[in-house]
Amino acid sequence: MSKNKKTSHQKNKIKKQKIDRFQNRYESLKWGKLDNTAILFPVIVSESVSNVYRISVTLTEDIIPELLQQALDKILPYFDVFNAKLKKGIFWYYFEANNKPAPRVTPENTYPCLYINQYENNEYMFRVTYYEKRINLEVFHVLTDGTGAVMFLKELVYQYLRYKYPQLMEESADTLCSDTSLNKDDSYIKNYKHSAKKLYKTEKAVIIKGEKLPYDHFGILHGYINLEDIKTTAKKYGVTINQYLISVMTWSIYSEYLNGLPSNKPISTCIPVNLRPYFDSNTMKNFFAVVSAVFKPTKEEYTFEEVLEIISNSLNEQICKENLEKLLSYNVSNEVNYVIRAIPRIIKNIALKRVYKASARANTSTVTNIGLIQVAPIYEKFINNFYIVLSMSKGQNIKGGICSFKDTLTFTFSSAIKETDIQKCFFRKLVQDGIHVEVESNGVYYE
């Protein structure tokens, strides 16, 4: 009798092992398409153009790496968008489920936003590092945009805090928050409407040049800005906070780099716009469009108010659902074209590189604002601030990243050149407008 039971148990065990093997094989074969924005990134990525951005959170106490690793191991299986590896197909790149262990959490020992070699990272396209009280999430843009990365980072922090402070386990469930989305729809395709009209200009823009920092060095300047101060100032000018900051950026380039002189090239700043609120989307994938804040100084001595009016009017015209819908549809039109879809990937890559080079010549800088970051109330007291760092693009040697948390807005400059005149002018203008600012550097300018 016991022998029969043992045999039955063994049969069940063998059956389970077969099911598990089939399930593992099925999971390894799961694949997914790149979204419309992501298609470009594998084509143009290199050691010098990493297309990696960083979102960091600073806690109130030093990081315990073992707990951070446990937290990453715990949450990663929930997020298909992060739990992926990049593969080359005949016609397109594509994602495949990654069944390897989560990448190792490591101390921060390099400059931000360096190229991620997925083959040295368990084939993952993100990394998690730490330094004292800070946790850094660095993401290859092919996976998701800042909105998706913030959701992942918040869940990582929540889980870490639950491990570090067991009393939090009693106050919150050991699961994802209800406002965290796991949706992986391609919202570009979902909201596409037929369009063939070209909407992008390719006029050559001012390119900021200077003495380059050493290879793989990266200059960072954080400006910690009182949120109420900047709200008051923007209201005084009759513009949004974003319009004000982009105008100050443009003014600083005009004043310091062009020395306030006319130019036959415009100062053109790329502004990524989160499309989710406009199209009722909660996707974890990339879902943004890029508009341009363009100022062409054709006369002598513009005032800041004149620059502000030009920039704010331009952005008001572009950032509306009608225009964003046109941008989205134009961007997707080539992807859904049956003739283009049938062209081999290698040939598509050549065309995409040419498009990227033309686009790079048309942009001076990029400023992205990922908005106000809110966390679950029980975790607030353990968190000091967040910030975002952008990597360099071809022709763009200085960029800005904006985010807000509690009563502080953080504007982070990233730069590949030694000169800091533009950054100094930027913060000086804020102070002149009555805004309290504290500035912090990563020290690379003083080496």
Side-chain angles (χ1 to χ4, degrees):
M1 188 76 175
S2 61
K3 185 176 180 181
N4 290 337
K5 284 184 178 180
K6 184 177 180 182
T7 303
S8 176
H9 174 73
Q10 287 176 334
K11 287 181 178 179
N12 287 335
K13 186 176 180 180
I14 292 169
K15 184 177 180 182
K16 184 179 183 303
Q17 288 174 341
K18 287 181 178 179
I19 292 172
D20 288 345
R21 280 199 300 270
F22 175 81
Q23 181 68 22
N24 290 338
R25 186 182 175 194
Y26 170 74
E27 290 293 328
S28 68
L29 291 174
K30 282 173 66 177
W31 67 280
K33 291 175 60 179
L34 275 63
D35 61 69
N36 180 260
T37 300
I39 288 171
L40 176 66
F41 296 122
V43 178
I44 62 173
V45 70
S46 66
E47 292 280 352
S48 58
V49 181
S50 69
N51 295 123
V52 171
Y53 60 90
R54 168 185 286 194
I55 299 180
S56 296
V57 57
T58 305
L59 306 185
T60 55
E61 296 182 358
D62 284 353
I63 305 302
I64 301 173
E66 296 80 11
L67 297 185
L68 184 57
Q69 184 68 61
Q70 289 177 34
L72 180 59
D73 293 343
K74 171 81 173 181
I75 71 158
L76 181 58
Y78 289 104
F79 290 89
D80 289 347
V81 168
F82 282 82
N83 200 13
K85 53 187 174 182
L86 188 66
K87 307 291 285 185
K88 294 178 181 178
I90 297 174
F91 300 104
W92 301 101
Y93 287 90
Y94 65 95
F95 291 128
E96 195 174 89
N98 192 342
N99 298 311
K100 293 185 177 181
R104 295 299 87 192
V105 169
T106 58
E108 182 181 358
N109 56 13
T110 65
Y111 288 95
C113 305
L114 296 185
Y115 172 75
I116 296 176
N117 186 331
Q118 66 180 82
Y119 301 107
E120 296 175 357
N121 194 45
N122 278 358
E123 295 191 82
Y124 288 97
M125 290 167 283
F126 71 94
R127 66 167 71 96
V128 176
T129 63
Y130 64 91
Y131 176 74
E132 294 181 350
K133 298 178 176 66
R134 186 174 68 234
I135 299 170
N136 308 306
L137 172 66
E138 296 193 331
V139 182
F140 182 25
H141 220 320
V142 73
L143 293 180
T144 185
D145 55 23
T147 301
V150 167
M151 281 193 278
F152 184 82
L153 179 59
K154 288 201 296 187
E155 289 296 347
L156 177 63
V157 171
Y158 295 164
Q159 188 62 44
Y160 169 79
L161 291 173
R162 287 195 289 264
Y163 283 147
K164 186 171 184 181
Y165 305 103
Q167 68 270 23
L168 290 174
M169 291 284 193
E170 301 172 7
E171 299 180 51
S172 64
D174 190 20
T175 56
L176 302 186
C177 285
S178 58
D179 60 349
T180 296
S181 172
L182 299 178
N183 184 295
K184 53 181 182 178
D185 286 346
D186 186 337
S187 289
Y188 291 105
I189 297 294
K190 190 174 180 180
N191 293 283
Y192 165 73
K193 294 181 180 179
H194 179 71
S195 172
K197 185 178 178 182
K198 185 176 180 181
L199 296 168
Y200 294 103
K201 296 179 181 178
T202 54
E203 181 182 5
K204 289 183 179 180
V206 170
I207 302 299
I208 299 169
K209 298 177 181 178
E211 185 180 354
K212 285 291 187 79
L213 291 166
Y215 172 73
D216 79 9
H217 280 44
F218 208 46
I220 305 296
L221 276 174
H222 302 296
Y224 302 110
I225 300 165
N226 182 278
L227 193 53
E228 283 305 313
D229 284 354
I230 198 167
K231 282 181 180 178
T232 301
T233 300
K235 186 176 181 181
K236 179 185 72 176
Y237 282 115
V239 297
T240 66
I241 290 175
N242 217 35
Q243 289 169 352
Y244 171 72
L245 288 170
I246 293 160
S247 298
V248 176
M249 176 78 154
T250 304
W251 169 256
S252 301
I253 295 170
Y254 167 65
S255 300
E256 295 298 324
Y257 190 73
L258 295 181
N259 297 310
L261 297 174
S263 170
N264 60 357
K265 295 178 182 178
I267 299 169
S268 179
T269 305
C270 285
I271 315 295
V273 178
N274 179 15
L275 294 177
R276 293 169 181 82
Y278 296 92
F279 296 94
D280 193 27
S281 169
N282 65 347
T283 184
M284 271 286 291
K285 288 190 169 187
N286 287 298
F287 194 42
F288 66 95
V290 174
V291 301
S292 295
V294 180
F295 167 63
K296 190 170 185 177
T298 57
K299 67 173 188 177
E300 300 278 352
E301 298 182 3
Y302 284 85
T303 64
F304 172 71
E305 285 76 11
E306 288 177 307
V307 174
L308 179 66
E309 183 179 8
I310 292 168
I311 295 297
S312 59
N313 287 343
S314 173
L315 292 179
N316 281 332
E317 291 173 4
Q318 295 178 77
I319 303 178
C320 61
K321 185 170 181 179
E322 182 182 3
N323 186 62
L324 294 173
E325 195 170 65
K326 290 176 182 177
L327 284 174
L328 182 156
S329 295
Y330 174 72
N331 290 340
V332 175
S333 60
N334 287 330
E335 182 186 350
V336 299
N337 183 296
Y338 286 106
V339 175
I340 295 175
R341 286 169 63 180
I343 297 172
R345 175 180 52 80
I346 295 173
I347 298 174
K348 285 193 186 91
N349 288 357
I350 296 170
L352 284 170
K353 285 180 180 178
R354 287 179 178 172
V355 170
Y356 173 68
K357 286 180 179 179
S359 173
R361 291 194 298 267
N363 296 301
T364 305
S365 180
T366 295
V367 176
T368 188
N369 188 346
I370 58 174
L372 178 65
I373 297 177
Q374 296 177 305
V375 300
I378 63 169
Y379 302 106
E380 270 193 4
K381 64 182 180 181
F382 302 102
I383 301 172
N384 280 332
N385 69 342
F386 289 83
Y387 65 77
I388 178 170
V389 179
L390 302 184
S391 61
M392 296 300 95
S393 304
K394 187 176 181 63
Q396 297 186 39
N397 289 315
I398 184 170
K399 292 187 179 183
I402 309 168
C403 71
S404 304
F405 180 66
K406 294 182 181 176
D407 59 356
T408 301
L409 180 147
T410 304
F411 191 106
T412 299
F413 279 102
S414 50
S415 175
I417 56 178
K418 289 185 176 181
E419 292 83 0
T420 58
D421 296 337
I422 292 170
Q423 295 94 315
K424 290 175 181 176
C425 181
F426 179 92
F427 292 124
R428 190 164 57 242
K429 175 58 181 168
L430 298 187
V431 173
Q432 287 171 355
D433 279 345
I435 299 169
H436 179 75
V437 182
E438 294 180 8
V439 179
E440 179 185 46
S441 166
N442 69 341
V444 71
Y445 298 111
Y446 313 111
E447 292 180 357

